Amino acid sequence: SAASDVYKRQYLLLSVNLYLECALASGQMNLPNLCFEFLELALVSYDELNSTQHFQTFVRLVGVLYETRCLMDEQREALIERSFKLAMKLLKKSEQCRGVYNTTHLLWYQNEYRDSEFFTQNKELKDGNKVMHCLKKALKLANLTSESESPSCLTLLVEVLDKCLYFYENKNDEVTSEYINKAIRHIRQKLTTSENRQEKISASLHLDNLCEHITVKQLTDDRYTPLLK
């Protein structure tokens, strides 16, 4: 019945969240195998969710995976690969785009807990090539999104640009000034042809804020000089 279907969906969503909480707790106690097991269980329940529940749950999953620094290298690599595949299976192109660019944070992070006795497996991870691969994929997905959708192609393109600037600022050499400038030109071209007024205003404001940030950075950081050319 419809009622039982709703109950099942709510139960599965609760189980995913509980498994993720257990994974976090296991990570904080530096128990990598137990943490990995709970993450695997969360993924099993995730697969059974209704497709409309996937995106928000996926974002939560990525956030938890980012926080669980105790995992062994092979465990983390397997989960990152699976996360990318899940992102590509999300219901809408816009969700796929956001899912893919969210996975970039699993590929580039610093050792925030280096002085903690609880994180013996905690290492820096800076895989610039894979980050760039995800950003390019996200940009392609953004371009495949219709202008009539919400979020529109324009909104997503500026969001991906925002991510590019984040990794540029964090010295990922694979994210080049040439690529960022090309993305900015592409967005500006899209703005001249867009007929979605509301999304156009929002995207323009976001783009202006990013360009202003670049301009401020150019005053103190020579790495930003090639941008906006």
Side-chain angles (χ1 to χ4, degrees), residues 95-124:
E95 293 176 349
Q96 292 173 18
C97 173
R98 286 174 167 172
V100 168
Y101 74 56
N102 267 302
T103 62
T104 57
H105 293 288
L106 302 179
L107 299 163
W108 187 279
Y109 58 75
Q110 295 180 343
N111 192 339
E112 299 163 358
Y113 312 107
R114 60 169 57 89
D115 297 323
S116 173
E117 61 181 304
F118 299 107
F119 292 90
T120 58
Q121 296 294 327
N122 186 29
K123 305 173 183 177
E124 289 191 344

Side-chain angles (χ1 to χ4, degrees), residues 199-221:
E199 294 282 344
K200 186 175 181 177
I201 292 171
S202 176
S204 295
L205 180 60
H206 192 173
L207 178 61
D208 288 344
N209 288 338
L210 293 178
C211 290
E212 183 178 351
H213 174 74
I214 292 171
T215 302
V216 171
K217 282 287 188 179
Q218 286 175 333
L219 299 175
T220 57
D221 191 340

Side-chain angles (χ1 to χ4, degrees), residues 159-171:
E159 288 178 7
V160 176
L161 173 63
D162 200 335
K163 289 294 179 188
C164 289
L165 286 170
Y166 168 83
F167 288 106
Y168 188 83
E169 188 164 320
N170 282 274
K171 300 181 179 179

